[in-house]
Amino acid sequence: MKWMRANLFGSWPETVATLLILWVLWQTVPPFIDWAFLDAVWMPDPKACRAGEGACWGFIAEKHRFILFGTYPYELHWRPAAATLILIGLWVFSAFRAFWKWWLSLVWLAGLTVIGILMWGGVLGMQYVENERWGGLILTLLLTTFGLAIAFPLSILLALGRRSEMPVIRGLCVGYIELIRGVPLISLLFMASVMLPLFLPSGVTIDKMLRAQIAMILFAAAYLAEVIRGGLQAIPKGQYDAAHALALPFWRRTYLIILPQALRIAVPALVNNFIAFFKDTSLVLIIGLFDLLSTIKISLQDRAWTGFGVEAYLFASLVYFVFCAAMSRYSKSFEHQR
């Protein structure tokens, strides 16, 4: 009661705002519960869904495999499912600071090797599946993982280069960052899909998924570089002077003294960019790749299931929320660690 009086009813404006919020919740939450759960249709029966008054979760039950795995062969869906679990497991494993040892890179290398074997196949008696048929959640996770893993070290080099005292290096880094940040991601994907093949020699082709991944890496690196540069500039000048006083080479003092402080300062902004990058993977639809959101859009084109877009996008929002909220909560806990 003391907490409620202090935080919810501490003054007349707070009391009015609290009562107004409670009234809105009373008007919206019970009807939503009725629609989403009590009156919902859970069986994959479009006729029952159209006759019912609640949500049609039968659409998700019917289309969940295509939404999660795209056009991957139906009888082989266990492979992308296992790859998804392994990749999420690697993320969770890497979240514990106790495992931040030199062998963590070997764990990731082994995990990604197993994921590659599962997704491509062609060995151990498994059927080969070209990556043009990859889609759904696993494609979103792979694009995010490889994009951030490669863009992050590149962004550190760009941030250091932008603050370099050598004019040529500083000019190149500034030009790259401003050029990439000056155009939307969708234009980079379009260039990678349509324009890049025109400049390649005859007979030379680059995989469509690889082109999309490169475009996303270049885009993410430019934005992360500015975040890291902000962290570098926030470090007191005394820290730089102390690092120079130790007579350490540039890379050692940067690695041991400067970067750890800069990255800690930049954690909130970095995670914000990670979350934005995770959601931006939906733009790969423009070059014919079908991520989680794209497979939902295609599923809604089935005539038997048209009209259930609310349920479809609620499911998509739930998936995105789970991953984004997990990154946000981990960021918040990481900020308070010493």
Side-chain angles (χ1 to χ4, degrees), residues 296-311:
I296 286 180
K297 293 179 180 178
I298 296 173
S299 299
L300 290 171
Q301 296 176 6
D302 189 341
R303 292 185 178 181
W305 294 100
T306 56
F308 300 110
V310 174
E311 293 86 343

Side-chain angles (χ1 to χ4, degrees), residues 24-325:
V24 171
L25 292 175
W26 177 258
Q27 294 295 317
T28 57
V29 172
F32 177 79
I33 293 176
D34 291 338
W35 175 82
F37 300 103
L38 301 181
D39 298 330
V41 178
W42 301 90
M43 298 298 295
D45 185 353
K47 293 183 179 179
C49 286
R50 299 188 189 282
E53 298 180 355
C56 178
W57 301 120
F59 169 81
I60 304 301
E62 176 69 19
K63 298 292 185 179
H64 73 280
R65 285 201 172 203
F66 179 75
I67 292 173
L68 295 178
F69 308 126
T71 59
Y72 207 90
Y74 185 86
E75 65 279 4
L76 302 178
H77 277 179
W78 67 271
R79 284 162 51 178
T84 301
L85 293 177
I86 293 174
L87 189 55
I88 295 175
L90 288 173
W91 284 16
V92 175
F93 185 80
S94 302
F96 295 94
R97 298 187 67 178
F99 300 143
W100 292 4
K101 309 294 184 181
W102 65 268
W103 45 262
L104 182 60
S105 58
L106 299 180
V107 174
W108 269 93
L109 181 61
L112 293 176
T113 301
V114 173
I115 291 173
I117 293 174
L118 288 171
M119 295 301 297
W120 268 301
V123 296
L124 302 177
M126 292 188 292
Q127 177 183 337
Y128 175 77
V129 179
E130 61 276 8
N131 54 17
E132 283 79 5
R133 301 196 63 180
W134 300 5
L137 179 61
I138 183 61
L139 180 61
T140 297
L141 296 178
L142 287 174
L143 289 175
T144 302
T145 300
F146 283 99
L148 294 177
I150 300 175
F152 188 70
L154 178 59
S155 67
I156 293 177
L157 295 178
L158 288 170
L160 294 174
R162 182 156 189 169
R163 291 174 52 83
S164 173
E165 297 179 356
M166 292 181 281
V168 175
I169 293 179
R170 183 172 64 250
L172 290 174
C173 291
V174 170
Y176 170 82
I177 292 172
E178 296 303 327
L179 175 64
I180 297 298
R181 293 174 69 230
V183 296
L185 175 57
I186 196 170
S187 65
L188 293 178
L189 292 172
F190 179 79
M191 291 286 292
S193 176
V194 179
M195 301 300 295
L196 180 60
L198 299 178
F199 296 94
L200 296 176
S202 178
V204 177
T205 59
I206 300 179
D207 181 77
K208 180 168 59 176
M209 181 176 171
L210 179 59
R211 297 200 302 267
Q213 186 71 86
I214 292 174
M216 299 188 73
I217 289 171
L218 297 177
F219 181 82
Y223 279 83
L224 293 176
E226 285 298 274
V227 173
I228 295 173
R229 183 172 70 92
L232 292 172
Q233 292 184 174
I235 298 176
K237 188 177 182 299
Q239 293 294 313
Y240 289 93
D241 295 337
H244 280 285
L246 294 175
L248 294 174
F250 171 80
W251 291 110
R252 283 184 62 83
R253 66 173 178 261
T254 299
Y255 173 73
L256 296 175
I257 299 174
I258 303 303
L259 269 183
Q261 299 181 72
L263 294 179
R264 179 177 292 276
I265 294 171
V267 163
L270 284 173
V271 175
N272 183 61
N273 278 267
F274 292 168
I275 292 174
F277 185 81
F278 176 73
K279 294 184 289 185
D280 284 344
T281 56
S282 60
L283 294 176
V284 297
L285 174 64
I286 192 176
I287 60 175
L289 296 176
F290 303 106
D291 73 316
L292 176 67
L293 198 60
S294 302
T295 54
I296 286 180
K297 293 179 180 178
I298 296 173
S299 299
L300 290 171
Q301 296 176 6
D302 189 341
R303 292 185 178 181
W305 294 100
T306 56
F308 300 110
V310 174
E311 293 86 343
Y313 289 111
L314 277 176
F315 176 77
S317 64
L318 177 62
V319 174
Y320 278 105
F321 174 78
V322 168
F323 284 97
C324 294

